[in-house]
Amino acid sequence: MEKKITLSVKDLRKVIGRREIIKGLTFDLREGEVFGFLGPNGAGKTTTIRMLVGLIKPTSGSIHICGYNIAEDFQKALRNLGCIVENPELYPYLSGYNNLLHFSRMINGVGEERIKEVTKLVGLADRIDDKVKTYSLGMRQRLGIAQALLGNPKVLILDEPTNGLDPAGIREMRNFIRFLAEKEGLSVLVSSHLLSEIQLLCDRVAIITKGTIIRTDSVEKLLSNRERMEWRLEPYLKGKEVLSSLTKIEEKEDGMIWTEFNEEKIPHWNKQLVEAGISVMEMNRKMPVLEDLFLELTGGETIE
Amino acid sequence: MNKLIQNEMMKLIAKKRLVVIALIIGVLVILFTYAQYKEIQTQRERLGTDDWRTAVQQNIVDITNRLSSSRISEEWKKQLKISLQQQQYYLDHDINPAEPGASTFMRIFLENAIDMLIPLMVMVIASDLVSSEYSQGTVKLLLTRPVKRWKVLLSKYITLCFAVSLIVAIAGFLSYILSGVVFGYKGFGTPILTGFNISDEALNTANVKLLSLWKFLLMDFGLVWFVAIVVGTLSFMLSVLIRSTAAGMGVMLAALISGAILSNMVSSWESAKYLFMVNLRLTDYMKGTAPPIEGMNLSFSMSVLLVWWAAALLVSFIVFTKRDVY
């Protein structure tokens, strides 16, 4: 069964001065999925996100959140949205609790019950009465998430959620986002310029550069066809010779040889190698990293 | 809307700005009180005796003598009668006119604070009410709630009006309480001359009358509050437009200071009277001091300020609701 669309963006454009910054983006988010927004710095990720949350008015195009058009039904649309744009900048001179109280007062039907709930959810219960200026970056990030979750949103938008976190914090954040999507059924939009990040976190990815989406697909689909086989052969030179007569090879500096991954042909190649008296020391199936994919898709162009 | 105002109040209190303002006003009042006290002392030494009653009595006798003369005009007679009433009051209520008590100190303090000190204090609050949200980045959280932007700004403006009223009240309260320690808490019934009109370079005294000090003070407070609201609204607009607290404050400060300087030199540049900063000394009209530019009077100045106020409010709301936030 097809899952419900929670966020729908159609032909979104933004012109600043004479420059078109965002050139017609179209994508949908579905219930319970984590959607990645991947692109280098300056590709238009943050501008797009600011349009999605109502901070910037689009020049043309439409944004619907849970069916409500953000330009016409601002309040109803935003009621279903939680977000952190860039860093979670909260009021440093207020306590964590008062920060949450502050934002809960801006959403109808959110009371102290819910504040306690989200505080527990993000694991800040011990420090919630301390001033935010005494918080570490990780704690601020968690308070930011708590703030975004206050109104029980259907759509959660996180701009660079792991920015500035240490490895443990990054893993924690990743697990938490997966939990929100899988167990709570939220649609989460995550932007990042880190490919590994998106690869581990997201179900689907839109790759954006210079204001256009060049590809939207599931992570698996983007990665399949691009798997590689890694071989370690002994003796190296002879092995290379035999293998290159069978298929196209790539020599790696660590003494490995890479070929395409093709389930039908690999047993045959292996047999040929063994019959030629070559010891096959290692055979590894390699998942490609998104980095390679990204360079391939963008033609390796740099951002001016 | 109530909840939004609660939010703004919570932030305002947490920033402790009002405490700082109260401290500044308190310190200044103590300073001025001491200066005033010193001045009274030297005056007393100069006069030799401190029996002020004889001096007032002498004054009354002089005025009565002059009144009985038939050669003076009716208008002049009226003036003298008012003067006589005032002197008689001093004597009857045992008030030394040279040493007037805390209530008069409060009046003088308010009249001198109206174009600089109070606007300055108001600026401290108003100029970062909106711009601090931009510089801290919290505006991104504030404007991504299911609340219309104009409501967010209105809640901030209402909070500003509360704060301004509080500042004026603090100034009045502290100047009375602190100076009273030295001068005594009396003198609210003291009569004071008001109703002067300046027309055609001449003092028109047709409407001059005596007013109890407390009534006079109420009017003073009203005028000070009005000026404070106008200045607050203008800084509020700058806070929306400039998004940098320091720059907004700088612009406003320059305007206020230029107003003080211009007042002394614009008597021949007539259109300068439409600038808000030369119109701030509203309490001067009550005392009968000549305005900086001919043709200015209380209602003119108030209308000019009102127009500036309305324009500032309009610009603030239009810009805040329309602007993209980066």
Side-chain angles (χ1 to χ4, degrees):
Chain A
M1 195 193 90
E2 194 76 319
K3 290 237 177 105
K4 221 173 73 188
I5 290 176
T6 48
L7 173 75
S8 162
V9 176
K10 284 201 184 66
D11 198 28
L12 193 68
R13 283 166 202 280
K14 179 69 183 176
V15 179
I16 298 175
R18 276 195 211 145
R19 260 168 57 101
E20 199 174 30
I21 306 285
I22 304 296
K23 300 162 185 161
L25 302 188
T26 302
F27 60 90
D28 292 324
L29 249 72
R30 291 174 192 282
E31 232 173 22
E33 77 168 345
V34 181
F35 186 84
F37 222 50
L38 179 66
N41 291 325
K45 293 182 309 249
T46 299
T47 308
T48 306
I49 283 182
R50 282 176 189 239
M51 285 197 274
L52 297 183
V53 300
L55 288 173
I56 298 179
K57 285 191 182 63
T59 308
S60 69
S62 71
I63 300 164
H64 286 82
I65 300 169
C66 294
Y68 297 111
N69 187 331
I70 195 166
E72 289 151 17
D73 273 321
F74 181 79
Q75 276 161 287
K76 281 182 187 155
L78 268 284
R79 184 65 186 82
N80 293 299
L81 180 94
C83 64
I84 304 179
V85 180
E86 286 172 332
N87 305 316
E89 281 121 342
L90 295 133
Y91 299 101
Y93 47 83
L94 295 178
S95 68
Y97 183 83
N98 278 345
N99 264 294
L100 292 182
L101 183 65
H102 177 277
F103 291 112
S104 73
R105 281 177 183 153
M106 301 183 81
I107 310 169
N108 279 332
V110 175
E112 288 184 33
E113 273 307 292
R114 183 64 188 159
I115 296 180
K116 283 203 185 100
E117 244 172 74
V118 292
T119 310
K120 207 178 281 170
L121 198 64
V122 298
L124 266 181
D126 309 335
R127 294 287 306 276
I128 199 69
D129 289 321
D130 293 348
K131 290 233 164 91
V132 168
K133 61 183 166 201
T134 66
Y135 282 18
S136 69
L137 190 64
M139 292 167 73
R140 279 175 209 214
Q141 198 74 279
R142 276 189 276 167
L143 188 63
I145 298 256
Q147 162 278 127
L149 292 175
L150 270 176
N152 277 315
K154 298 279 186 302
V155 181
L156 190 62
I157 294 183
L158 306 172
D159 195 1
E160 310 264 356
T162 55
N163 221 355
L165 295 181
D166 56 18
I170 291 177
R171 193 166 56 238
E172 193 185 336
M173 180 65 71
R174 198 191 297 141
N175 291 339
F176 189 62
I177 292 173
R178 292 292 336 167
F179 161 79
L180 288 174
E182 282 160 22
K183 299 285 178 325
E184 311 263 311
L186 269 72
S187 310
V188 188
L189 180 96
V190 174
S191 87
S192 182
H193 63 280
L194 295 174
L195 307 140
S196 53
E197 185 66 50
I198 296 275
Q199 191 175 1
L200 289 167
L201 186 58
C202 301
D203 303 309
R204 286 198 305 144
V205 192
I207 296 176
I208 174 173
T209 178
K210 292 183 176 170
T212 42
I213 291 178
I214 51 177
R215 185 84 183 263
T216 311
D217 220 328
S218 71
V219 174
E220 288 127 51
K221 268 200 195 140
L222 278 174
L223 295 185
S224 64
N225 314 325
R226 288 187 176 76
E227 284 169 283
R228 290 285 180 275
M229 197 68 192
E230 186 189 55
W231 307 77
R232 187 152 75 88
L233 303 173
E234 200 65 53
Y236 178 74
L237 281 177
K238 198 173 168 212
K240 194 177 82 177
E241 202 176 294
V242 174
L243 202 55
S244 63
S245 70
L246 297 164
T247 182
K248 218 179 121 207
I249 62 156
E250 259 178 277
E251 281 180 86
K252 296 284 169 184
E253 55 268 33
D254 55 357
M256 298 295 198
I257 297 169
W258 286 29
T259 66
E260 67 170 315
F261 179 81
N262 186 327
E263 274 183 321
E264 281 140 41
K265 289 187 184 159
I266 279 180
H268 170 66
W269 295 342
N270 188 32
K271 199 170 158 212
Q272 295 281 314
L273 285 166
V274 173
E275 280 171 5
I278 293 156
S279 324
V280 178
M281 312 295 287
E282 267 183 70
M283 286 170 78
N284 296 315
R285 181 180 174 181
K286 280 283 186 190
M287 297 293 280
V289 272
L290 220 37
E291 193 149 352
D292 303 331
L293 169 71
F294 188 73
L295 290 175
E296 197 179 310
L297 287 174
T298 57
E301 56 189 334
T302 47
I303 305 306
E304 70 272 16
Chain B
M1 196 68 215
N2 271 339
K3 286 181 174 176
L4 294 182
I5 297 171
Q6 255 180 306
N7 274 346
E8 294 305 323
M9 289 306 238
M10 178 170 81
K11 286 185 267 182
L12 188 67
I13 292 165
K15 279 194 222 167
K16 303 197 175 78
R17 285 283 154 79
L18 282 170
V19 178
V20 173
I21 288 171
L23 274 176
I24 294 174
I25 293 178
V27 168
L28 289 181
V29 164
I30 291 170
L31 223 65
F32 296 154
T33 306
Y34 185 71
Q36 181 89 350
Y37 172 72
K38 274 287 179 197
E39 197 175 302
I40 289 169
Q41 268 195 333
T42 31
Q43 225 168 41
R44 208 178 270 167
E45 274 164 27
R46 213 177 33 222
L47 288 174
T49 62
D50 52 18
D51 190 11
W52 53 274
R53 283 184 197 79
T54 16
V56 173
Q57 260 160 355
Q58 189 55 46
N59 220 341
I60 290 172
V61 173
D62 283 351
I63 295 170
T64 332
N65 285 342
R66 269 198 277 177
L67 271 174
S68 58
S69 156
S70 57
R71 281 179 300 173
I72 57 171
S73 68
E74 273 309 302
E75 205 182 312
W76 186 225
K77 241 181 200 170
K78 200 180 150 211
Q79 266 273 46
L80 284 175
K81 272 184 190 157
I82 289 170
S83 217
L84 184 68
Q85 260 178 288
Q86 198 178 16
Q87 298 292 325
Q88 192 62 51
Y89 185 94
Y90 288 143
L91 205 58
D92 293 348
H93 291 82
D94 200 27
I95 297 164
N96 180 351
E99 202 176 303
S103 44
T104 300
F105 180 89
M106 174 158 74
R107 175 178 70 82
I108 295 168
F109 181 77
L110 282 180
E111 282 167 1
N112 287 304
I114 191 171
D115 68 335
M116 253 319 171
L117 184 62
I118 300 272
L120 220 58
M121 298 295 111
V122 168
M123 248 173 59
V124 170
I125 299 238
S127 60
D128 89 332
L129 214 49
V130 178
S131 56
S132 68
E133 303 274 4
Y134 278 97
S135 51
Q136 280 170 12
T138 42
V139 69
K140 289 177 288 183
L141 293 175
L142 209 57
L143 298 185
T144 53
R145 304 297 112 177
V147 176
K148 294 244 163 152
R149 284 193 188 183
W150 68 264
K151 279 191 181 169
V152 174
L153 194 66
L154 185 61
S155 71
K156 282 188 174 292
Y157 187 71
I158 291 173
T159 309
L160 174 67
C161 291
F162 276 136
V164 165
S165 313
L166 205 61
I167 290 172
V168 173
I170 288 173
F173 179 77
L174 286 180
S175 62
Y176 181 68
I177 293 294
L178 293 177
S179 70
V181 174
V182 178
F183 303 129
Y185 300 99
K186 57 182 194 248
F188 272 114
T190 318
I192 187 157
L193 286 167
T194 184
F196 297 99
N197 256 326
I198 290 163
S199 52
D200 305 330
E201 292 290 315
L203 192 65
N204 178 2
T205 51
N207 299 315
V208 169
K209 57 178 181 249
L210 276 178
L211 213 59
S212 291
L213 184 57
W214 67 269
K215 279 188 195 156
F216 192 88
L217 267 173
L218 270 184
M219 292 188 196
D220 264 3
F221 266 115
L223 295 178
V224 169
W225 181 81
F226 179 73
V227 167
I229 288 284
V230 172
V231 171
T233 309
L234 286 168
S235 333
F236 187 73
M237 174 187 73
L238 287 174
S239 180
V240 171
L241 289 181
I242 299 182
R243 285 179 284 185
S244 145
T245 309
M249 264 190 161
V251 171
M252 204 58 202
L253 198 61
L256 287 176
I257 292 174
S258 73
I261 298 170
L262 274 175
S263 301
N264 295 322
M265 47 194 249
V266 286
S267 50
S268 47
W269 173 26
E270 215 198 312
S271 46
K273 67 183 176 186
Y274 297 108
L275 295 172
F276 81 92
M277 52 270 202
V278 298
N279 283 298
L280 294 180
R281 293 196 67 94
L282 292 182
T283 46
D284 280 2
Y285 295 116
M286 306 263 298
K287 285 196 305 185
T289 322
I293 301 164
E294 200 184 318
M296 286 168 66
N297 56 39
L298 184 57
S299 50
F300 172 83
S301 284
M302 285 185 80
S303 332
V304 168
L305 291 179
L306 212 61
V307 170
W308 278 84
W309 169 83
L313 212 54
L314 199 69
V315 170
S316 309
F317 274 87
I318 290 175
V319 171
F320 191 77
T321 48
K322 293 266 181 279
R323 186 162 56 191
D324 286 348
V325 179
Y326 291 100

